[in-house]
Amino acid sequence: MNGLVMAFLLIAAALLQAVSPAAVLLAQARWPALAAVVVYYALARERRDWLWAAVLAGLIQDGMGLIPFGYSSFAFCLLAVSIARFRDVVFVHEAVTHMLFGGWMAAGSTLILYLLLTSTGLIALSVGQGLHKVAGAALLGVIVTPLIFYGCARMDQLLGLVESSDSSWRELH
């Protein structure tokens, strides 16, 4: 059941990311819906779940764009590891935490992709343009991640994949 829910969440996030307009003022940054799902899994689920989510979300993101397969997966896995290391010292189900890690995931993955794609000559953005896009992605990550996190958590709760009596899920009632 976990695999089906993850597949649904990733497909829904990919559709949301694909149809949402790029933010012109933020260097054409896209709404990082797939990154937000990875943040959810990195904060709220076991290691095997968030690793699968990071790899699959990265492959989906690469498939939606002109990015060589594996680049986004590498970025998502690297950042998911960094997020998962902090989940024992943060309030996992608080919006501020989601905003912080959503911005971190969006900015970090955009920066890693910028570095990988410019080093291989696949894109030709100046450093200023790249940093503008990183900042734009961070802002969009801060906005979208709490909403997607809540939706993912609520779906897990309604399907019985998490214990609803657990005190860490108190705000979902």
Side-chain angles (χ1 to χ4, degrees):
M1 180 68 124
N2 283 336
L4 291 174
V5 172
M6 182 187 300
F8 173 78
L9 292 173
L10 290 172
I11 290 169
L15 289 172
L16 178 66
Q17 190 167 313
V19 301
S20 63
V24 177
L25 295 175
L26 301 175
Q28 299 294 324
R30 306 289 273 164
W31 292 89
L34 286 165
V37 172
V38 175
V39 170
Y40 168 72
Y41 276 94
L43 284 173
R45 303 302 291 272
E46 298 174 10
R47 178 180 302 188
R48 66 179 156 78
D49 292 336
W50 57 257
L51 279 174
W52 274 110
V55 169
L56 294 175
L59 291 175
I60 291 169
Q61 182 166 297
D62 291 344
M64 291 189 328
L66 299 174
I67 303 170
F69 280 104
Y71 280 27
S72 294
S73 293
F74 170 72
F76 286 164
C77 285
L78 187 66
L79 293 163
V81 167
S82 71
I83 290 170
R85 290 183 143 282
F86 288 103
R87 73 181 188 180
D88 291 334
V89 296
V90 297
F91 295 107
V92 171
H93 298 288
E94 296 295 329
V96 172
T97 304
H98 309 155
M99 293 167 73
L100 175 70
F101 286 122
W104 168 251
M105 176 66 84
S109 62
T110 303
L111 179 62
I112 291 169
L113 287 174
Y114 169 74
L115 294 172
L116 288 172
L117 293 171
T118 54
S119 70
T120 57
L122 294 174
I123 61 168
L125 288 177
S126 69
V127 173
Q129 291 171 320
L131 292 177
H132 186 207
K133 191 162 197 141
V134 168
L139 179 62
L140 293 175
V142 165
I143 294 168
V144 77
T145 303
L147 301 171
I148 290 179
F149 192 102
Y150 177 80
C152 293
R154 186 72 175 142
M155 177 172 278
D156 277 351
Q157 183 187 31
L158 290 173
L159 292 173
L161 298 176
V162 296
E163 191 63 38
S164 62
S165 63
D166 184 356
S167 63
S168 66
W169 295 90
R170 69 190 177 290
E171 72 274 359
L172 296 178
H173 293 282

